[in-house]
Amino acid sequence: MSMVQQLPHYICGHYHPLEAYQQSDDHSQTLCWSAMTLPCPSCCVQSVQTLDLNPQVYVNLQQLSPSLTAFVIEVSEVSQPLDGVLSLTGYVQRAASIDELHPGGDIFDLPNAVWRKEYWFDNDTEPMHVVALLRHLKQEMRWLETYLPQGVRAIHFADFVGTA
């Protein structure tokens, strides 16, 4: 008897591609499953393009306090349904960061609004754990690029909104 693998399908009716699912790591698969109640990446890209938006992702290392650092992801030019995907996967709306020492401010700073997610770690964390966290972050970027019209070209490391 052979087993039939049931692939997840999105609310738009599209199925997650088998090849992409088999090549995904655990974190990417978890993110994919959490967004099943919304349109698929292709439908999100079409929606964003219809609105003539160009979402960009900025990944940085920021000092949040003297003893706490975080890998920070900020996504600009977000609209529906991408905002729902980000919300379901742990992002919150904030003002964009200025630099490594000045994280984004209040959500009410609408001209500079971004969707933000932080991965915190103590400054004394062993390097192998920070490297593991960085791998986790890179997996998330591979998943997120499928929702962006420019794909991987829309992901910027060590740049900030307005400086790329």
Side-chain angles (χ1 to χ4, degrees):
M1 185 161 105
S2 65
M3 291 187 64
V4 176
Q5 184 174 8
Q6 180 68 23
L7 290 174
H9 65 70
Y10 296 88
I11 195 167
C12 59
H14 294 123
Y15 284 90
H16 191 279
L18 178 60
E19 304 81 35
Y21 192 77
Q22 289 173 335
Q23 294 172 359
S24 294
D25 48 73
D26 290 341
H27 183 54
S28 296
Q29 289 178 8
T30 301
L31 291 166
C32 173
W33 279 98
S34 65
M36 289 289 110
T37 59
L38 295 166
C40 71
S42 295
C43 289
C44 282
V45 166
Q46 287 178 343
S47 176
V48 167
Q49 287 174 325
T50 300
L51 296 171
D52 201 27
L53 294 175
N54 186 21
Q56 300 289 303
V57 178
Y58 301 88
V59 183
N60 295 288
L61 192 62
Q62 289 188 334
Q63 183 174 356
L64 300 178
S65 74
S67 64
L68 190 62
T69 302
F71 286 114
V72 175
I73 306 164
E74 293 181 332
V75 186
S76 67
E77 292 194 40
V78 175
S79 68
Q80 291 181 345
L82 182 55
D83 60 350
V85 171
L86 295 173
S87 179
L88 283 175
T89 55
Y91 289 78
V92 295
Q93 207 168 15
R94 299 266 309 265
S97 296
I98 298 168
D99 58 30
E100 292 85 352
L101 299 174
H102 300 94
D106 217 337
I107 186 175
F108 299 110
D109 188 6
L110 293 180
N112 296 313
V114 294
W115 283 83
R116 178 183 173 98
K117 188 174 188 179
E118 301 172 353
Y119 288 100
W120 303 352
F121 59 94
D122 189 275
N123 290 348
D124 294 333
T125 301
E126 291 185 36
M128 66 180 215
H129 294 296
V130 177
V131 169
L133 185 57
L134 186 55
R135 277 192 209 110
H136 187 80
L137 184 77
K138 287 170 62 177
Q139 293 166 1
E140 186 157 338
M141 292 306 98
R142 279 195 302 273
W143 166 80
L144 187 55
E145 75 186 35
T146 65
Y147 285 90
L148 306 171
Q150 288 187 334
V152 70
R153 292 183 316 274
I155 299 176
H156 311 277
F157 291 89
D159 281 327
F160 292 89
V161 177
T163 63

